[in-house]
Amino acid sequence: MMKPLWWQCGVIYQIYPRSFQDTDGDGVGDLNGITRRLDYLQWLGVDAVWISPIFPSPMADFGYDVSDYTGIHPLFGTLDDFDHLVNEAHARDLRVILDWVPNHTSDQHPWFIEARSSRDNPKRDWYLWRDPAPGGGPPNNWLSVFGGSAWELDEKTSQYYYHAFLKEQPDLNWRNWDVREAMYDTLRFWMERGVDGFRADVIWHLIKDEEYRDNPPHPGHSSDEWPYREHVPGQWPYQDLIPFYTTDRPEVHEVIAEIRQVLDEYPERMMVGEIYLPVEKLVAYYGKERAGLHLPFNFELVRMSWNARMIDRVIDKYEAALPDGAWPNWVLGNHDNSRIATDIGPEQARVAAILLLTLRGTPTLYYGDEVGMTDVDIPPDRVQDPVAKNRSDAGPGRDPERTPMRWDASEKAGFTEGEPWLPLGDDVDTVNVATERDDPSSILTLYRRLLAFRRAEATLSVGGYAPVETEGDLLGYVRTGDDTRFLVALNLGDTPAALSFNGAGTVEIGTHADREGTEVGSEIELRGDEGLVVRLRG
Ligand code: TEU
């Protein structure tokens, strides 16, 4: 393989900026807070930070409703603070990835304010407007991901506009060339400032059917056959229809190819795209001749039931589906999904750490998962997430996984001196960086050692991958380099099980420190919740 690029051999760390580190006492994290914690990230051993949106925004969807793509929200700081952050990150060999929200703007963005001012405003066509249905009401059956119809009537001009998410997030019309140019300029703006890459929000939504055809009904699944641990269709109204005409349209790939050309105007920039699609459709986003996204996010581990057989199958399926030259990636959690330690428990969260950091491809790690943070209960009077407020089926919404990072065992966890915007949770005294950093048995130590090991052993980031035949709760695979081979043996269950393998070697890292340095042979006895990385001989 050619020398791997930074985003191929590196590990991405996602920061939800409201919740990382507050420096001005308002209870919301800020850019100077991220800068203050760069030494921690370097110590931890990650290579890049992806920062969720920091742009001016009315915060209807906490920054995913952008009202100025080339500014910084005063809550987070200033452009000078941003430049300082980039310089300090680069000085530590850390790359900076910004969240780019191309599908929709805020309804307070000057573009939308102009567009809605009259039917003949030059910006009208920058958004998606339709007349009411012949008998009145929304123009078709399209639904918002966040609940209800995706159409909102603009009283003044008597037309509906389309919003895939909140009504405060009108969708841009990506068939309009001026929209494209304006959005490409926002990418150039940040690349000029030294930004290394972008995470593109809901990029599979960019293009909608030109004829605005109704989405077909979903034939339905029973919960038994649904392989994912998230919503079962039927519980989430959006999934009652197949979003056939609103997402994953063929023309989206032409747009992405153009976006890629803009990125390629600058050296070594990369884009990772948020796409919730099954792997066979996902891989099309690498583009023809790999001239699409560098990394279409692979969310299989975020969504899949924690079942060794299903995960085994999905790894094989993903590896087989990857086109030539397409670089894989894996994710365990993000700001939209329940935390991994809540979903699978603290013991399995350690096994998951080994999986994430030893599979082939770029891992993305969600802030706080490295200390084993779990979802925090949010009392009704502290709910912030619009999804929790909008959708009765959404339960507690997304606040539980967005709570402040815990830096120490103090009352405010070292996050703020003010009142944190979301509650900290009741296990701050044990689950925090200061308590765990020198504890050899902590999950933080496991993460840090795995990251250091991965950095030292290129085989783990760029080596080959081959599955090992396993059954029951076991998962196994071999990573192969020029003259090194590692066996990864994981027990996804809580009872002991033996993994048969034709070979022998020494345990380098494991969930249970007492195993390290020991020899293993062809029959590896794993305890419940145990995972190992073995350096193979010969
Ligand atoms: O998320 C898009 C999205 O589809 C998810 O919110 C998904 O529906 C949800 O996780 C259910 O599993 C992106 C951002 O990540 C999210 O924070 C924004 O709210 C949303 O887009 C709108 O910009």
Side-chain angles (χ1 to χ4, degrees), residues 61 64 104 145-146 199 201-202 231 274 335-336 398:
D61 189 20
Y64 285 96
H104 43 267
V145 178
F146 287 171
R199 174 267 189 189
D201 192 59
V202 294
H231 340 261
E274 186 202 25
H335 63 296
D336 294 330
R398 302 171 297 180

Side-chain angles (χ1 to χ4, degrees), residues 358-500:
T358 59
L359 281 172
R360 193 174 78 90
T362 304
T364 301
L365 170 57
Y366 186 48
Y367 88 94
D369 280 356
E370 79 274 26
V371 289
M373 278 175 67
T374 50
D375 291 355
V376 172
D377 281 341
I378 312 292
D381 62 335
R382 295 203 57 185
V383 170
Q384 302 271 357
D385 179 21
V387 170
K389 295 179 181 171
N390 243 27
R391 261 175 49 198
S392 54
D393 60 296
R398 302 171 297 180
D399 295 329
E401 62 264 20
R402 297 177 174 181
T403 61
M405 179 69 179
R406 288 88 167 280
W407 298 104
D408 59 43
S410 68
E411 197 199 333
K412 303 279 171 68
F415 166 68
T416 185
E417 290 182 356
E419 194 47 43
W421 77 289
L422 281 174
L424 286 156
D426 52 17
D427 54 357
V428 170
D429 53 337
T430 49
V431 178
N432 70 70
V433 172
T435 305
E436 293 182 39
R437 67 185 290 159
D438 299 316
D439 173 359
S441 67
S442 72
I443 186 167
L444 179 59
T445 299
L446 177 63
Y447 260 107
R448 182 164 176 255
R449 295 193 52 221
L450 282 165
L451 286 162
F453 191 59
R454 192 185 157 92
R455 186 181 299 276
E457 298 286 350
T459 300
L460 287 179
S461 49
V462 299
Y465 166 91
V468 170
E469 210 179 307
T470 51
E471 50 188 44
D473 288 332
L474 296 177
L475 200 59
Y477 44 89
V478 175
R479 301 295 315 278
T480 312
D482 290 341
D483 45 22
T484 3
R485 284 194 316 147
F486 294 105
L487 166 71
V488 179
L490 306 173
N491 184 354
L492 273 62
D494 58 7
T495 51
L499 188 141
S500 309

Side-chain angles (χ1 to χ4, degrees), residues 14 16 50 52-53 60-65 99 101 103-104 145-146 164-166 169 199-205 230-231 236 238-239 274-276 299 302-303 334-338 385-387 391 398 401-402:
Q14 181 190 355
Y16 196 68
W50 147 32
S52 283
D61 189 20
F62 293 107
Y64 285 96
D65 49 324
D99 215 309
V101 189
N103 180 67
H104 43 267
V145 178
F146 287 171
F165 296 90
L166 298 174
Q169 294 167 296
R199 174 267 189 189
D201 192 59
V202 294
I203 199 158
W204 85 113
H205 278 253
E230 59 182 56
H231 340 261
W236 178 18
Y238 178 72
Q239 288 189 335
E274 186 202 25
I275 301 158
Y276 284 93
F299 291 124
V302 176
R303 309 175 67 201
N334 60 33
H335 63 296
D336 294 330
N337 292 282
S338 188
D385 179 21
V387 170
R391 261 175 49 198
R398 302 171 297 180
E401 62 264 20
R402 297 177 174 181

Side-chain angles (χ1 to χ4, degrees), residues 64-301:
Y64 285 96
D65 49 324
V66 179
S67 54
D68 172 6
Y69 286 94
T70 55
I72 298 289
H73 195 298
L75 257 179
F76 298 123
T78 63
L79 269 175
D80 283 346
D81 296 335
F82 180 76
D83 292 340
H84 182 58
L85 163 57
V86 171
N87 286 337
E88 291 294 313
H90 287 170
R92 291 166 178 79
D93 268 337
L94 289 164
R95 309 279 175 151
V96 177
I97 299 169
L98 283 189
D99 215 309
W100 187 56
V101 189
N103 180 67
H104 43 267
T105 68
S106 159
D107 64 346
Q108 300 306 308
H109 195 294
W111 299 340
F112 189 70
I113 292 175
E114 273 194 58
R116 79 185 309 172
S117 66
S118 76
R119 286 197 187 200
D120 52 15
N121 184 281
K123 292 250 168 20
R124 185 73 170 179
D125 186 53
W126 283 38
Y127 294 84
L128 300 165
W129 297 95
R130 303 297 283 170
D131 289 332
N140 67 19
N141 74 349
W142 293 357
L143 295 175
S144 155
V145 178
F146 287 171
S149 170
W151 294 99
E152 180 71 12
L153 181 65
D154 177 57
E155 303 277 353
K156 187 173 162 215
T157 58
S158 304
Q159 278 191 315
Y160 283 84
Y161 65 86
Y162 175 75
H163 57 92
F165 296 90
L166 298 174
K167 66 177 175 14
E168 293 85 358
Q169 294 167 296
D171 280 45
L172 283 164
N173 175 14
W174 273 84
R175 294 181 192 272
N176 179 302
W177 296 100
D178 296 333
V179 166
R180 294 190 190 187
E181 279 312 320
M183 289 303 290
Y184 300 158
D185 280 345
T186 68
L187 291 173
R188 294 186 182 103
F189 175 90
W190 292 110
M191 289 191 284
E192 290 291 336
R193 292 193 107 86
V195 164
D196 301 285
F198 300 92
R199 174 267 189 189
D201 192 59
V202 294
I203 199 158
W204 85 113
H205 278 253
L206 287 194
I207 296 280
K208 288 56 136 161
D209 181 40
E210 217 164 4
E211 295 172 44
Y212 292 85
R213 281 168 281 191
D214 272 353
N215 275 326
H218 202 290
H221 294 278
S222 72
S223 48
D224 305 343
E225 56 185 78
W226 183 249
Y228 300 120
R229 59 180 194 270
E230 59 182 56
H231 340 261
V232 176
Q235 291 174 359
W236 178 18
Y238 178 72
Q239 288 189 335
D240 293 347
L241 299 178
I242 300 175
F244 187 80
Y245 290 114
T246 42
T247 61
D248 194 32
R249 301 305 300 158
E251 304 97 310
V252 75
H253 297 295
E254 296 158 26
V255 177
I256 292 175
E258 275 185 22
I259 294 172
R260 172 62 179 263
Q261 283 179 12
V262 177
L263 296 167
D264 287 349
E265 291 169 13
Y266 297 77
E268 282 202 27
R269 301 307 203 270
M270 81 98 182
M271 185 172 279
V272 50
E274 186 202 25
I275 301 158
Y276 284 93
L277 284 176
V279 294
E280 51 289 4
K281 292 186 176 171
L282 178 71
V283 294
Y285 285 77
Y286 285 104
K288 281 201 194 103
E289 315 282 327
R290 307 303 74 77
L293 294 173
H294 300 87
L295 300 173
F297 258 137
N298 163 17
F299 291 124
E300 292 300 312
L301 294 180

